[in-house]
Amino acid sequence: MLTETVAAAAPPPFDPELAGPLSEILSELPMPLTADLIADRRQRSRTGRLTDAQIRRDGAFEIEERKVPGPAGAPDITLLICRPVGVTTPVPVVYHTHGGGMVAGSHRSTELIGELDRAQALSLAVVSVEYRLAPEHPDPAPVEDCYAGLLWLASHAGSLGLDPDRIVLSGNSAGGALAAGLALLARDRSGLRPKGQLLQFPMLDDQCASDSCRQLGRVGLWDGLSNEAGWTALLGERRGTPSVSCYAAPARATDLSGLPPAFIEVGSVEALRDEGIEYASRIWRAGGQAELHVWSGAFHSFDEWVPTATVSRTAQQARVGWLKRVLG
């Protein structure tokens, strides 16, 4: 009965600085996501792709795109490599897996702005991976593409002026799912140990059965119904069944020990809230390190949409501070 009561309750209120902008966003963004809206999401992503000039930031970064080997039997993948200019020693690197609900987005999506902001503040490099999208390329294609790129980066970092021992995995939403999946894959397959995993509003659980997923089924950005649609695109009829791998849906992992330190953040008014909280709690119970932020009154990926809000600036500062600590 407790679950039913929570699920039926009204959502928490939005932060006053976020409520108005969110209404404007939703007035022109069809919600929730459905299979019929995937083409719309991809078109929006193409329109918002960052140009070379936007990524270079008036000479702060030098950039190149490289084709590198994909998973066995699969096409090559593209990595966008952004190195800080004027740095002569090997620099730490953020390995960025983009969001887009598993069905849209690219290695040049607008969320890369946040990664570059943090990299510029701390003299880091950013490597962003382009992976195949669902439903045309269902699981395990996306996470295997990202893993292939990570292995290539770790083995070629030295020749790129990057530090292979200081790689942080970072992703937003679907990218957060992929970053968490990569941390598990690295632990279980290769012994590669990234320095950290920066999980921003991560999709972690394909079962979509949390209280927040029900409470916020039609509220905010990336609501509960959109979450179900994204997972279904990735997993098809396997969604919610025992056959789903923890590398696709990290909440399925039975063992969260031995993982790199995690930064996990969610908004209090988003469908993914409870699974993020639970994932951090399980890392602690396994003896690991996790820093958890629940941004009061915030919706999914709020700081990307409303970067000037006080809570958005606070969130950005928290990420920078965490990166400084884990990278030393």
Side-chain angles (χ1 to χ4, degrees):
M1 290 301 294
L2 177 61
T3 298
E4 293 176 1
T5 301
V6 172
F14 287 109
D15 182 287
E17 288 188 278
L18 301 179
L22 176 61
S23 295
E24 295 179 9
I25 294 164
L26 292 175
S27 69
E28 65 87 31
L29 182 67
M31 290 288 289
L33 176 70
T34 63
D36 292 339
L37 285 174
I38 290 176
D40 170 80
R41 295 297 194 268
R42 290 179 178 175
Q43 178 57 43
R44 291 171 186 269
S45 178
R46 285 191 293 270
T47 301
R49 283 169 62 101
L50 301 184
T51 65
D52 285 358
Q54 289 173 310
I55 297 169
R56 288 194 178 102
R57 299 190 165 203
D58 295 322
F61 293 96
E62 60 179 7
I63 66 172
E64 64 173 309
E65 286 196 349
R66 288 203 184 189
K67 289 283 190 182
V68 306
D76 289 347
I77 57 175
T78 300
L79 297 180
L80 173 66
I81 303 168
C82 314
R83 292 182 292 254
V85 170
V87 179
T88 57
T89 57
V91 296
V93 55
V94 173
Y95 186 67
H96 172 68
T97 49
H98 69 78
M102 302 293 182
V103 301
S106 83
H107 62 318
R108 289 173 173 260
S109 292
T110 53
E111 71 215 59
L112 188 60
I113 293 171
E115 303 283 26
L116 293 171
D117 286 344
R118 294 184 284 277
Q120 195 166 356
L122 298 174
S123 295
L124 312 178
V126 176
V127 174
S128 183
V129 58
E130 179 88 317
Y131 57 86
R132 290 171 290 171
L133 299 174
E136 296 90 342
H137 303 286
D139 175 67
V143 73
E144 292 292 351
D145 284 355
C146 294
Y147 185 65
L150 177 63
L151 291 182
W152 186 92
L153 170 62
S155 61
H156 293 79
S159 65
L160 296 170
L162 310 178
D163 187 344
D165 295 322
R166 290 193 291 170
I167 298 173
V168 172
L169 310 172
S170 180
N172 180 308
S173 193
L178 292 164
L182 288 177
L184 291 163
L185 272 174
R187 180 197 67 182
D188 295 346
R189 280 191 191 169
S190 65
L192 173 69
R193 183 171 171 83
K195 290 292 287 184
Q197 47 181 328
L198 179 56
L199 311 181
Q200 304 153 58
F201 324 105
M203 293 171 61
L204 296 170
D205 192 352
D206 66 291
Q207 297 170 95
C208 305
S210 70
D211 289 336
S212 61
C213 209
R214 291 191 291 268
Q215 182 187 37
L216 298 157
R218 294 294 298 268
V219 177
L221 288 181
W222 200 247
D223 54 28
L225 293 178
S226 298
N227 196 44
E228 290 183 12
W231 281 115
T232 299
L234 180 71
L235 300 169
E237 294 182 355
R238 289 190 296 126
R239 187 186 75 78
T241 71
S243 63
V244 175
S245 163
C246 66
Y247 309 126
R252 297 295 194 122
T254 57
D255 178 11
L256 294 182
S257 64
L259 294 173
F263 179 103
I264 301 172
E265 62 181 323
V266 293
S268 68
V269 200
E270 71 160 314
L272 305 181
R273 179 192 65 211
D274 292 351
E275 62 200 62
I277 294 170
E278 176 63 15
Y279 201 69
S281 298
R282 291 183 58 212
I283 290 175
W284 294 325
R285 291 198 292 269
Q289 299 180 51
E291 179 170 321
L292 173 66
H293 293 267
V294 182
W295 301 113
S296 180
F299 58 84
H300 185 71
S301 301
F302 63 95
D303 62 298
E304 181 183 343
W305 295 90
V306 195
T308 59
T310 301
V311 67
S312 300
R313 295 195 299 269
T314 302
Q316 173 71 334
Q317 291 167 359
R319 297 173 200 135
V320 171
W322 179 82
L323 282 168
K324 287 178 68 174
R325 294 196 301 278
V326 299
L327 291 172

